[in-house]
Amino acid sequence: MNFEKLLKAAQEIKEKAYAPYSHFHVGAALLTPSGKMYTGCNVENTSYGLTICAERNAIFQMVNNGEQEIGEILVIGDTDEFLPPCGACRQVIAEFAAKDTIIYMCNRHGQFKKTSVAEIIPFSFSLDK
Ligand code: THU
């Protein structure tokens, strides 16, 4: 099952997070329609605003590898709540996903809330007129 595959990969990459300032470790994993998986962790910086979130890291890995379509994406934190992507990441997810693309928001126990792009960013910015 794709969910299990994504969860394992996101849990693994979460351990690599560089988060000495927030101590908040996040992992993300996505599958493309071709079946390839890309993962990312958050990488912080002493100049805080330069921090990159796990989801965007995973998405940029995908683009670096010549792919531009998210099939489904999962994000996990060491939280009791299901971890929702931040606003910036929602816009970046929307760039490479369809309205019905699945997003799994997970907690530290590997439990999840399944949602979609349309649900988490209903009015995403687009240049389309
Ligand atoms: N973070 C993510 O990696 N993804 C999100 O969607 C929310 C926030 C990271 C950024 C920062 O390193 C830490 O979590 C605390 O905000």
Side-chain angles (χ1 to χ4, degrees):
M1 186 192 167
N2 283 347
F3 170 77
E4 297 297 341
K5 219 171 136 179
L6 285 165
L7 177 63
K8 190 167 176 290
Q11 281 170 329
E12 269 174 33
I13 196 78
K14 177 165 64 60
E15 299 311 310
K16 298 196 173 137
Y18 176 73
Y21 306 105
S22 73
H23 305 289
F24 194 89
H25 291 204
V26 184
L30 69 87
L31 274 166
T32 61
S34 75
K36 266 206 87 177
M37 177 139 61
Y38 299 95
T39 60
C41 58
N42 52 329
V43 181
E44 298 186 345
N45 192 272
T46 187
S47 177
Y48 294 174
L50 300 183
T51 292
I52 183 83
C53 291
E55 300 92 314
R56 276 177 290 154
N57 198 351
I59 292 166
F60 297 163
Q61 302 291 335
M62 172 186 79
V63 175
N64 278 332
N65 278 279
E67 296 203 71
Q68 299 185 353
E69 197 181 339
I70 301 170
E72 43 196 325
I73 183 165
L74 181 149
V75 56
I76 188 167
D78 291 326
T79 49
D80 285 327
E81 302 296 324
F82 304 125
L83 192 76
C86 77
C89 288
R90 292 177 195 208
Q91 184 70 48
V92 175
I93 291 169
E95 184 80 20
F96 298 105
K99 296 277 178 215
D100 61 353
T101 297
I102 290 168
I103 299 152
Y104 295 105
M105 305 187 296
C106 299
N107 66 12
R108 71 166 96 238
H109 311 294
Q111 297 161 327
F112 65 93
K113 179 173 167 55
K114 189 175 169 180
T115 182
S116 67
V117 170
E119 243 173 28
I120 66 162
I121 180 158
F123 298 101
S124 58
F125 175 74
S126 163
L127 287 176
D128 294 344
K129 288 181 213 140

